[in-house]
Amino acid sequence: MNDELRYLAARAATGGLSRRAFLGRAAALGVTTIAAGTMLSDAARAAEPKKGGSLTMGLGGGNSTDTLDPALAASQVPFVYLMTAGDRLTDVGPKNEIVMNLAEEVSSDKEAKTWTFKIRKGVKFHNGKDLTPDDVHKTMLRHSDKDSKSGALGIMKGIESMKVDGDNFVVTLHSPNADLPFLMADYHLIIQPNGGMDKPDAGIFTGPYKIDNFEPGVRITFSKNKDYWNEKVGHYDNIVMLVINDATARNAALQSGQVQMVNSVDPKTANLLKRVAKNVDVTAASGRGFYCFNMFCDTKPFENNDLRMALKLAIDREELVKKILAGYGSVGNDMPVNKAYPLFPTDIPQRSYDPDKAKHHFKKSGHDGPITLLTADGAFAGAVDAAQLFQQSAAKAGITIDVKRQPNDGYWTDVWNKKPFSASYWGGRPTQDQMYSTAYISSADWNDTRFKDPKFDKIIVEARGELDKSKREQLYHEAGMMMRDQGGLINPMFNQFVNAHDKSKVAGWFEYPNQDLMNGLAGVLCWQA
Amino acid sequence: MNTLLKLVVQRVALGILLLFAASILIFVGTNILPGDVAQAVLGQSATPQALANLRAELGLDQPAYIRYFEWLAGVLHGDLGKSLTNGQDIAAAIGQRLSNTLFLAAVSAIIAVPLAITLGLIAVRYRDRWPDKVISAVTLASVSVPEFLLGYILMYFLAVQFHIAPSVSTIYPGMSFWAKLHAITLPVIVLVLVVQGQMMRMTRAAVLNLMQSAYIETAELKGLRPFLIIARHAFPNAISPVINVVMINLAYLVVGIVVTEVVFVYPGMGQYLVDHVSKRDVPVVQACGLIFAAVYIGLNMLADVISILANPRLRHPK
């Protein structure tokens, strides 16, 4: 049974897809109705979540300097423990849809400038206190303070004012933004009692699990929050997260059965792990992070679009995904966004390696001589190798690239966003608007390709305030085409989040793109097999 | 006896002096690290005002020697300061980590030291015969393999293949003593193998040296059993060099096992120090440095004192 069908069956069994729709889709995939029906009843049996038991996870990306203050979280382990213990107003679901969490309903005025979040009633914090709209308001105030060190400060900048109105929390923006519900799903914006103003790292949230022990960089233990408002999630009685920063040790812990789930499987050993451990399922979720090469559109020789196009055509994307990401990734299309983003324009043709066309554009640009590309291992894992592969594929198109390796120390202060052609990466943003606004509009602080086009800026602003979905999709299509054909970004590949779990012990895993460990919710959504 | 007491007091005083010198080195070292602590804490987007505020708060606007004495006064009162990254009290946080490190070091030492000495003595007894060769080959091989590789090999066989011992050695408060011992099985084996070689070789060499002496020959002529001669007559006279090597290895077990900690996910001092160095958390780095220096100096001092006690000749320098 292929993965799509399995996913559909699971969705149908949990009520995400009607039986009729499932049979239709199964038929489209070439499965007979009877076979599909059997499949559905199997899935329904398997999808009946079992309550109880405990889950131990082995996680990389933790540190003894980690804290429980959601504002300061920046690495993988804090992300996962905050998602497990805390609630946001909204979440972004597996199909990039908005899922209501502490907000019961979201609505906006016609302009998408004033947004109203109806706050769920009867929700209790882990200390027994009731959740009020005032707690939500205070949380947002804390994250939007100018001097705040919050990782969500950039998101909060667009907010003009906030207030509590009865059961509602009302946000007024400086300018229209149809993406606000997506932005509120940011993992820093976890609701705390009194906004966490009294003690930001108290670890008191409203989520499905309470934090019992917090030993940063070592071990975090949780027990089920018996008062949790949503009975459909949080099946385990206990969850333990062990911080295991060494990739080999993580794999060994999974193989020896000490943990049932791990994150950050090294792509180079993922296939090996799959082969030697029969009970282990290695999963890859597409993310929004990408590895790229940036050209300054205002600096010689890159101000010439033919030269930029020549370089874009001279990179072998498939090869990079295969060799640098060991296949755990997808090819990029010279846009900073991919299908992990809501409203992604899927109909834009994929650019591929074409040395002949590259040669043609290179000649047309009139440029002569080598082009210097700066890279460092700190730019992204494998950046030096990637630059050399680029050099070889470009040589076949008659373009000479001079790869200059730079020290990791100071790469982000002295090379990135300073030199006209360098290797870099982006971790992605929750929405297309955020990604484009952060780095590709004229006024962006981090315009690391110096792409400045008033027409492009206008499209982005227009799309931001547009509430009509199809119009918005059309605008993002245009923006994507402009980026792809005129931008200074060479984006050959998006990386993936590679996880593994013991399928004889863990059930309920499904493909949840965008982030590590099912958007950090693996402990909340899975159950004991 | 009086001279002995005097010597010991001298050694201790010297040790304390050395510790002060080390504290100056640590302070200077952490202060000449490139970059400013306030900048490191606030990140790239810090405003000049915020930087100035934080500098004043941390006392960075004062001259270095004043800061040194303030820090020293704090340390002498048991106040190691607060961590810059998460605001935790350093003394409390280190206490837990240090006791973990000492636990692992103690268990490893209790196994490794008697084992190494016994093996050394056996090697002498069967000098140049097969037991000597086997012992030498095995200990030298285990010293030559890097610890992390040794760790992975043991993990593969003992944890993944045969499920004898856990591959993750996380221990935490509330675990029973036996559960803790079970958890640290693999790191203890690795550490025992790693420190074994040097101690065993030193025992063998020091005792062999004495085996040519006239008094050993007398003992042999008396008809004593060979092992008794080695253990009773030769070894006590060889104790000084052996003690020195044992102490160096004990110090290593406390301050040098960060790689083993990482491989087995053991919450000890090494991992704690490395995490805070990468975040430029200077007060924590200083506190760890001082503790490591104290361990080294303390153990070496102990080695000196035991050597003096064991060897009357050292009490009467020419």
Side-chain angles (χ1 to χ4, degrees):
Chain A
M1 179 164 39
N2 71 30
D3 284 341
E4 169 150 26
L5 209 53
R6 197 158 39 199
Y7 169 76
L8 290 173
R11 288 260 294 168
T14 49
L17 193 71
S18 75
R19 186 188 161 81
R20 204 182 155 82
F22 168 72
L23 294 177
R25 297 282 284 281
L29 287 165
V31 179
T32 64
T33 312
I34 296 168
T38 321
M39 213 176 280
L40 188 57
S41 59
D42 280 353
R45 213 167 0 185
E48 190 65 44
K50 207 162 92 188
K51 298 275 172 187
S54 93
L55 170 72
T56 308
M57 302 159 107
L59 306 178
N63 219 292
S64 37
T65 53
D66 292 341
T67 112
L68 280 174
D69 180 355
L72 303 179
S75 47
Q76 286 146 294
V77 173
F79 165 71
V80 180
Y81 64 64
L82 288 172
M83 290 299 283
T84 307
D87 276 329
R88 287 84 23 217
L89 286 181
T90 56
D91 279 325
V92 179
K95 293 278 171 195
N96 276 322
E97 76 281 18
I98 281 291
V99 177
M100 290 298 135
N101 199 340
L102 288 184
E104 251 174 348
E105 271 174 43
V106 184
S107 56
S108 79
D109 61 356
K110 269 190 210 132
E111 269 194 299
K113 217 178 155 186
T114 300
W115 287 82
T116 306
F117 294 84
K118 187 174 175 211
I119 305 302
R120 198 176 292 281
K121 277 191 182 156
V123 176
K124 274 189 175 10
F125 282 107
H126 296 160
N127 60 4
K129 206 180 141 280
D130 284 314
L131 168 82
T132 64
D134 191 51
D135 295 316
V136 177
H137 185 209
K138 291 271 176 55
T139 300
M140 300 303 166
L141 278 179
R142 189 168 82 86
H143 288 277
S144 50
D145 181 24
K146 271 205 312 297
D147 297 327
S148 152
K149 284 183 242 162
S150 171
L153 186 59
I155 289 174
M156 306 305 281
K157 270 183 184 157
I159 296 178
E160 190 179 285
S161 67
M162 299 180 275
K163 65 169 194 253
V164 172
D165 176 16
D167 294 336
N168 298 325
F169 166 63
V170 182
V171 179
T172 308
L173 302 170
H174 289 299
S175 60
N177 189 344
D179 281 336
L180 193 71
F182 286 95
L183 302 182
M184 286 294 147
D186 186 276
Y187 74 99
H188 299 97
L189 299 179
I190 283 176
I191 309 303
Q192 292 176 277
N194 198 26
M197 301 231 182
D198 314 320
K199 194 173 184 303
D201 59 353
I204 304 291
F205 309 113
T206 60
Y209 287 91
K210 296 181 192 187
I211 295 177
D212 294 334
N213 280 295
F214 180 68
E215 294 166 58
V218 182
R219 166 177 171 273
I220 305 112
T221 64
F222 305 81
S223 61
K224 191 173 159 49
N225 174 9
K226 296 251 163 31
D227 300 325
Y228 194 58
W229 59 271
N230 184 357
E231 280 175 14
K232 285 188 189 140
V233 299
H235 307 296
Y236 286 105
D237 287 337
N238 296 290
I239 296 179
V240 178
M241 293 178 189
L242 295 177
V243 177
I244 309 180
N245 285 322
D246 183 69
T248 314
R250 259 196 319 275
N251 285 0
L254 180 67
Q255 283 176 269
S256 65
Q258 255 189 303
V259 302
Q260 291 94 53
M261 196 183 279
V262 296
N263 69 347
S264 304
V265 178
D266 182 357
K268 292 192 187 87
T269 56
N271 291 327
L272 217 58
L273 180 67
K274 235 191 262 179
R275 210 163 56 227
V276 297
K278 294 276 168 282
N279 55 335
V280 167
D281 215 354
V282 178
T283 57
S286 59
R288 304 191 183 104
F290 58 88
Y291 296 161
C292 59
F293 299 101
N294 291 329
M295 306 176 280
F296 281 2
C297 300
D298 63 353
T299 309
K300 254 190 182 338
F302 308 103
E303 89 285 7
N304 183 319
N305 195 33
D306 274 308
L307 183 86
R308 296 205 293 271
M309 190 54 89
L311 286 168
K312 286 175 185 174
L313 288 163
I315 194 163
D316 190 343
R317 294 150 208 265
E318 302 284 346
E319 185 188 31
L320 286 176
V321 169
K322 211 161 67 198
K323 292 188 175 157
I324 303 295
L325 301 175
Y328 286 95
S330 56
V331 292
N333 201 11
D334 299 330
M335 298 182 275
V337 294
N338 63 352
K339 69 172 179 359
Y341 282 85
L343 307 176
F344 173 73
T346 45
D347 49 350
I348 295 182
Q350 173 63 45
R351 176 165 292 141
S352 53
Y353 178 48
D354 191 335
D356 292 331
K357 259 199 209 158
K359 206 178 270 175
H360 165 76
H361 281 284
F362 189 61
K363 245 186 215 133
K364 213 170 127 198
S365 79
H367 180 78
D368 195 26
I371 293 164
T372 305
L373 169 61
L374 303 184
T375 181
D377 260 330
F380 57 83
V384 174
D385 298 338
Q388 280 160 354
L389 289 170
F390 188 12
Q391 182 183 37
Q392 283 168 21
S393 63
K396 280 179 206 152
I399 305 171
T400 314
I401 294 180
D402 238 355
V403 174
K404 283 229 170 87
R405 188 177 178 163
Q406 304 291 308
N408 286 345
D409 264 343
Y411 188 82
W412 300 109
T413 44
D414 302 333
V415 178
W416 171 74
N417 211 3
K418 295 264 161 44
K419 299 285 192 254
F421 193 25
S422 65
S424 177
Y425 86 97
W426 275 102
R429 289 291 182 273
T431 61
Q432 296 192 61
D433 175 58
Q434 280 278 304
M435 192 64 239
Y436 285 129
S437 308
T438 308
Y440 301 96
I441 59 171
S442 306
S443 57
D445 294 336
W446 290 316
N447 192 336
D448 60 7
T449 56
R450 303 288 188 270
F451 180 66
K452 289 172 185 167
D453 189 326
K455 196 176 152 221
F456 181 78
D457 300 348
K458 212 175 128 255
I459 295 175
I460 295 301
V461 172
E462 207 182 323
R464 188 185 300 152
E466 180 59 66
L467 279 172
D468 185 303
K469 195 169 160 239
S470 64
K471 272 191 202 150
R472 264 192 116 189
E473 270 171 332
Q474 183 51 39
L475 288 166
Y476 282 126
H477 178 97
E478 272 178 56
M481 285 304 283
M482 279 186 83
M483 269 274 78
R484 174 182 179 271
D485 295 337
Q486 291 158 44
L489 171 73
I490 303 176
N491 179 5
M493 55 188 157
F494 284 87
N495 51 355
Q496 287 178 337
F497 297 100
V498 188
N499 300 146
H501 64 273
D502 184 338
K503 60 187 167 193
S504 66
K505 304 218 176 83
V506 176
W509 184 284
F510 61 88
E511 197 191 327
Y512 200 143
N514 310 341
Q515 261 300 350
D516 211 9
L517 289 169
M518 300 170 73
N519 198 24
L521 295 169
V524 175
L525 296 174
C526 291
W527 61 87
Q528 197 165 20
Chain B
M1 194 60 210
N2 239 348
T3 42
L4 185 64
L5 196 70
K6 209 176 119 200
L7 263 170
V8 170
V9 170
Q10 260 179 12
R11 291 285 158 171
V12 173
L14 214 61
I16 292 174
L17 211 63
L18 206 56
L19 198 56
F20 270 106
S23 77
I24 295 176
L25 273 182
I26 291 166
F27 190 81
V28 172
T30 48
N31 272 284
I32 57 177
L33 278 178
D36 162 53
V37 182
Q39 186 85 54
V41 172
L42 290 179
Q44 277 181 324
S45 53
T47 61
Q49 185 57 42
L51 279 175
N53 289 348
L54 188 66
R55 279 203 193 104
E57 197 185 312
L58 297 174
L60 290 175
D61 48 352
Q62 300 201 12
Y65 67 92
I66 292 184
R67 278 186 282 136
Y68 170 71
F69 284 112
E70 280 177 351
W71 174 62
L72 198 63
V75 170
L76 291 176
H77 288 92
D79 174 17
L80 295 172
K82 281 203 172 10
S83 153
L84 297 181
T85 44
N86 53 11
Q88 282 183 334
D89 184 55
I90 296 174
I94 282 189
Q96 184 61 41
R97 295 294 188 126
L98 186 62
S99 70
N100 286 350
T101 292
L102 292 180
F103 177 64
L104 180 60
V107 175
S108 308
I110 287 169
I111 298 171
V113 174
L115 187 67
I117 290 173
T118 313
L119 286 176
L121 296 182
I122 293 174
V124 173
R125 168 67 182 83
Y126 299 102
R127 176 183 4 149
D128 295 334
R129 285 156 60 189
W130 69 265
D132 180 23
K133 286 183 177 148
V134 169
I135 291 172
S136 291
V138 170
T139 51
L140 282 179
S142 70
V143 170
S144 312
V145 179
E147 313 162 56
F148 72 90
L149 186 62
L150 215 51
Y152 287 153
I153 294 172
L154 286 174
M155 206 187 265
Y156 179 72
F157 286 107
L158 299 185
V160 175
Q161 291 296 315
F162 301 112
H163 298 278
I164 296 169
S167 70
V168 172
S169 306
T170 307
I171 64 168
Y172 44 89
M175 241 174 147
S176 77
F177 178 74
W178 297 110
K180 280 187 185 175
L181 271 190
H182 182 239
I184 64 170
T185 313
L186 291 183
V188 166
I189 298 177
V190 169
L191 292 176
V192 166
L193 288 173
V194 167
V195 297
Q196 200 59 225
Q198 200 188 6
M199 290 193 286
M200 174 267 160
R201 299 292 296 178
M202 192 43 124
T203 308
R204 184 180 178 276
V207 175
L208 265 185
N209 225 357
L210 288 167
M211 292 307 280
Q212 318 297 332
S213 320
Y215 80 96
I216 298 289
E217 210 167 314
T218 311
E220 274 169 8
L221 291 173
K222 275 198 299 186
L224 288 183
R225 281 190 294 123
F227 200 77
L228 206 67
I229 296 175
I230 294 168
R232 281 277 184 76
H233 295 262
F235 180 62
N237 278 316
I239 222 161
S240 293
V242 174
I243 277 295
N244 273 308
V245 169
V246 167
M247 288 304 168
I248 287 176
N249 279 293
L250 289 189
Y252 169 78
L253 284 178
V254 177
V255 309
I257 58 164
V258 59
V259 175
T260 313
E261 283 180 14
V262 171
V263 167
F264 292 106
V265 204
Y266 189 76
M269 287 282 282
Q271 184 62 59
Y272 184 73
L273 174 63
V274 169
D275 281 354
H276 286 83
V277 168
S278 62
K279 290 273 164 73
R280 289 281 152 81
D281 199 334
V282 172
V284 177
V285 176
Q286 286 170 340
C288 289
L290 203 59
I291 288 171
F292 285 168
V295 168
Y296 244 109
I297 293 171
L299 286 173
N300 274 306
M301 208 167 69
L302 198 64
D304 279 355
V305 171
I306 295 177
S307 298
I308 291 168
L309 288 177
N311 191 345
R313 276 169 297 183
L314 290 177
R315 273 176 245 165
H316 306 286
K318 282 172 210 161

